[in-house]
Amino acid sequence: MTGSRLAPPAHPLRLAALLAAALLVTHGCGGGDLAPPETPIPYTGEPQPGGTVLLGVGSDLDSLNPYLSTQALTRDVAYHVFASLLEEQPDFAQGPPSFEPALAQSWDVSPDGRQITFHLRPDAVWSDGVPVTADDVRFSWQAAVHPDVAWLGADAKKAIEDVEVVDAHTARFHFRRVYPYQLMDANDGVILPRHIWGQVPFASWRGSGLDRQPVSSGPFKVNGWEPGQSITLVRNPDYFGAPRPYLDRVVYRILPDPASGVEQLLAGVVDFWDKIDPSQMARLESRPEVTLHRYPDNFYGYLMWNCVRPPFDDPGVRLALTLGINRRRLAEDLLHGAGQVASGPIPPLFWAHNAGLTSHPHDPAGARRRLAAAGWSDTDGDGWLDRGGRSFRFEILVPSDSTLRQDMAVMIQADLKAVGIDVRPVILERNTQAARSRAGQFDATIGGWRLPTKVDLGVMFATRAAEDGVNYGRYSSAELDELLRQAAEVEDFREAKPLLDAAQAILHRDQPYTFLYWQDRLVGISSRVQGAAPNPHTPLFRLERWWVPSELRDR
């Protein structure tokens, strides 16, 4: 059975970026406009090679090797510098995403489903002229799973038993079992040059300096990295794909003040900014020099409860807190319609979304009844609920760089005050908030996750994920653990759907999070840039096909 475009029907499959799953977004705000550039002329001609595009980003990268990195930007850069076996498509509404050929021109699956053989393009070369071979594929898998490398996405490779080098242009992945995400797991990550990185033991990769000027196999290659300022990519003339990149250069410009992103976009300082506050939508839509792309995202906002700290260890209390929060008002007033109240962690654009669940309503009276049943009442008439002589009082950890989440915390504080609960937002630097969350040193913490296209609720909610995932609230349900175990072991994703539906129903009942909202993605791109097609998989999808008309180039 051979695949040249889609995964074989019997084995539809997965992408995984645990790191992407744990991404938090920031909230930008700004004052008056900087001096805007000249309004571009609408252009509908054929793509023209040449020109530069400046991408605004809010933080620097920590490595150009994605297997060493903890930064989301590294993945964005690396996937344009290093080729992957396949190109994942943003078509995960009806099932796991499909794939297009990339470094592998075709692939086939063995009759028993436990081997996938990739046939590499014979014309693929590294930018130093060395051919890309199956030895590079096997070496990259070894790096991905090696404990000295400690890649955050290594879990995606745990079912791969070995990668066999059949010949110079044929690599065969051997799996321990058959499951829906085999192709996605095999494809996850990039292919590194063995003749470069293989010179250094895995334990010495960090600090080796090999990633400062990496050899490229992708559409672009690195031309410079000025920490804290910019990363510059240039067209790779030896890229195997067609068409080759139209742009001469792509510059990731690091903005020291991410809150100024919209102003920088409107002023033409950058051509791209993807952290747009919903309050800026109307303003951007009125500006012809910018195109605002809005689409459903794989992101959700949450209020995470510490499920081992009383009284949040009681699912009835957590549900009461959810009922006490007017989440619809949060979505309408703070997201300006660019979002909706969430019923759980899987947004509607995913095939695994449980459409049978409805969001819990705002029901302060119901919240008070449930809290009374748990022993919380105002025994001294001071307006605050108490139990055993202690008032119901707790803190919410909030990141200092997100005014959106600070505003949400204030609204939650007011909503729960009406129920008789004293909420105190604690604003912390983001890394401090994250460290306290990981350590379980919180009552509640506000944040958001971007769900990877491999649907794996275990990373966030399985009991084991309190140690090796992002289950910072220490939620534990044997019933949920068993459903997720079964869902991970079925051979066809259609068999996983009812199991994931049942898992979402448990989370809907137990409320380890108050699921606040599903948010639309807002991406601003200069109107002079043509060919951009941002989507929920990545706003920089097929960056090699972006182009700028010659008469609109000013860089």
Side-chain angles (χ1 to χ4, degrees), residues 259-438:
S260 70
V262 168
E263 308 305 330
Q264 305 268 0
L265 176 66
L266 290 171
V269 176
V270 296
D271 297 306
F272 168 94
W273 182 248
D274 70 336
K275 296 176 177 63
I276 294 173
D277 182 277
S279 66
Q280 301 276 17
M281 281 193 298
R283 178 179 174 215
L284 290 172
E285 287 170 341
S286 70
R287 299 290 292 268
E289 66 269 28
V290 172
T291 299
L292 179 66
H293 298 261
R294 173 182 170 182
Y295 50 87
D297 199 8
N298 51 350
F299 179 87
Y300 68 93
Y302 62 76
L303 185 60
M304 181 192 299
W305 305 108
N306 189 331
C307 296
V308 295
R309 178 178 291 184
F312 312 107
D313 58 343
D314 181 346
V317 169
R318 297 196 298 264
L319 177 55
L321 292 164
T322 295
L323 295 175
I325 298 171
N326 191 343
R327 294 175 293 153
R328 187 168 305 282
R329 185 165 64 97
L330 294 183
E332 292 175 352
D333 291 0
L334 297 181
L335 299 181
H336 299 267
Q340 58 181 307
V341 177
S343 62
I346 302 180
L349 77 162
F350 281 91
W351 65 271
H353 170 70
N354 185 345
L357 297 176
T358 58
S359 301
H360 291 294
H362 179 221
D363 183 6
R368 285 190 288 268
R369 286 194 300 271
R370 289 179 178 275
L371 290 167
W376 292 95
S377 60
D378 182 8
T379 61
D380 55 10
D382 66 351
W384 303 109
L385 301 181
D386 57 81
R387 185 176 70 180
R390 299 188 64 178
S391 295
F392 198 153
R393 176 180 296 116
F394 71 89
E395 296 179 343
I396 298 177
L397 306 188
V398 189
S400 59
D401 61 354
S402 174
T403 55
L404 173 64
R405 290 177 183 163
Q406 292 170 36
D407 291 344
M408 286 187 172
V410 170
M411 294 176 74
I412 291 169
Q413 179 185 41
D415 288 340
L416 293 182
K417 179 180 180 181
V419 176
I421 300 172
D422 185 8
V423 178
R424 300 182 179 182
V426 176
I427 299 174
L428 300 172
E429 187 271 330
R430 183 176 291 270
N431 290 333
T432 302
Q433 182 204 19
R436 284 189 55 178
S437 297
R438 283 193 299 271

Side-chain angles (χ1 to χ4, degrees), residues 123-352:
D123 58 344
V125 297
W126 298 102
S127 54
D128 60 1
V130 175
V132 181
T133 70
D135 285 324
D136 297 314
V137 177
R138 174 174 169 77
F139 173 74
S140 299
W141 166 73
Q142 291 172 323
V145 300
H146 202 282
D148 288 340
V149 175
W151 180 41
L152 289 178
D155 191 60
K157 307 295 184 181
K158 65 182 180 181
I160 299 172
E161 190 172 39
D162 193 14
V163 176
E164 174 190 359
V165 176
V166 179
D167 59 43
H169 294 103
T170 309
R172 180 170 295 136
F173 284 65
H174 294 263
F175 291 83
R176 294 183 173 88
R177 58 186 176 85
V178 177
Y179 61 103
Y181 295 118
Q182 287 170 263
L183 188 61
M184 185 178 264
D185 284 347
N187 185 62
D188 197 19
V190 299
I191 305 304
L192 294 177
R194 180 186 178 187
H195 68 286
I196 301 294
W197 285 92
Q199 297 177 14
V200 177
F202 291 136
S204 302
W205 273 19
R206 286 177 171 80
S208 67
L210 287 177
D211 65 346
R212 299 303 301 184
Q213 289 286 336
V215 174
S216 172
S217 61
F220 297 95
K221 58 183 182 179
V222 177
N223 190 51
W225 175 16
E226 300 180 47
Q229 298 184 50
S230 64
I231 304 101
T232 301
L233 308 183
V234 296
R235 180 192 297 112
N236 178 7
D238 299 314
Y239 178 54
F240 57 81
R244 288 190 171 89
Y246 296 120
L247 296 169
D248 288 335
R249 294 193 310 156
V250 173
V251 180
Y252 292 79
R253 177 166 288 176
I254 301 161
L255 303 184
D257 177 17
S260 70
V262 168
E263 308 305 330
Q264 305 268 0
L265 176 66
L266 290 171
V269 176
V270 296
D271 297 306
F272 168 94
W273 182 248
D274 70 336
K275 296 176 177 63
I276 294 173
D277 182 277
S279 66
Q280 301 276 17
M281 281 193 298
R283 178 179 174 215
L284 290 172
E285 287 170 341
S286 70
R287 299 290 292 268
E289 66 269 28
V290 172
T291 299
L292 179 66
H293 298 261
R294 173 182 170 182
Y295 50 87
D297 199 8
N298 51 350
F299 179 87
Y300 68 93
Y302 62 76
L303 185 60
M304 181 192 299
W305 305 108
N306 189 331
C307 296
V308 295
R309 178 178 291 184
F312 312 107
D313 58 343
D314 181 346
V317 169
R318 297 196 298 264
L319 177 55
L321 292 164
T322 295
L323 295 175
I325 298 171
N326 191 343
R327 294 175 293 153
R328 187 168 305 282
R329 185 165 64 97
L330 294 183
E332 292 175 352
D333 291 0
L334 297 181
L335 299 181
H336 299 267
Q340 58 181 307
V341 177
S343 62
I346 302 180
L349 77 162
F350 281 91
W351 65 271

